[in-house]
Amino acid sequence: MKMKWPQSLGKPHFNDWEGEVFTLDDEPKSKRVYEIGQKLEELSVGELTETITLLQDEIIRLEKAKADKSRHLDAAAALFAKKS
């Protein structure tokens, strides 16, 4: 991630720093365990187990989000439905 000194803070008080761009290389990078379509031969049994657990948790999260959106859509449809 590249950052610049905010202009709203005025000029920095460092003699050798003239608004250079610097990179935050020390940020931890998350390890991607699995990518859709990845060759499964590349994963160990432990990584496969971890991936299955992560994907099952993600499926539960997606199903909950879908159910929540469906409830909102149903509520909106009921609110704006034509009354006969």
Side-chain angles (χ1 to χ4, degrees):
M1 176 167 71
K2 293 187 176 190
M3 299 179 67
K4 283 193 161 194
W5 184 264
Q7 296 294 330
S8 62
L9 296 178
K11 196 161 183 143
H13 298 287
F14 308 108
N15 292 336
D16 58 346
W17 200 89
E18 291 295 326
E20 299 173 17
V21 174
F22 60 94
T23 305
L24 302 175
D25 291 329
D26 296 335
E27 290 183 11
K29 295 181 181 169
S30 61
K31 178 186 171 194
R32 176 174 259 167
V33 175
Y34 180 74
E35 187 173 311
I36 302 294
Q38 178 180 343
K39 293 181 181 180
L40 300 179
E41 298 80 21
E42 298 174 355
L43 300 175
S44 69
V45 172
E47 289 172 326
L48 288 168
T49 301
E50 182 182 352
T51 299
I52 289 168
T53 302
L54 289 171
L55 291 174
Q56 287 171 336
D57 291 346
E58 185 65 7
I59 288 169
I60 291 168
R61 188 178 78 90
L62 290 167
E63 287 175 341
K64 182 183 178 310
K66 180 183 170 189
D68 290 346
K69 286 187 181 243
S70 292
R71 278 195 302 278
H72 285 114
L73 287 173
D74 291 345
L79 182 65
F80 294 106
K82 291 183 180 180
K83 296 181 182 179
S84 40

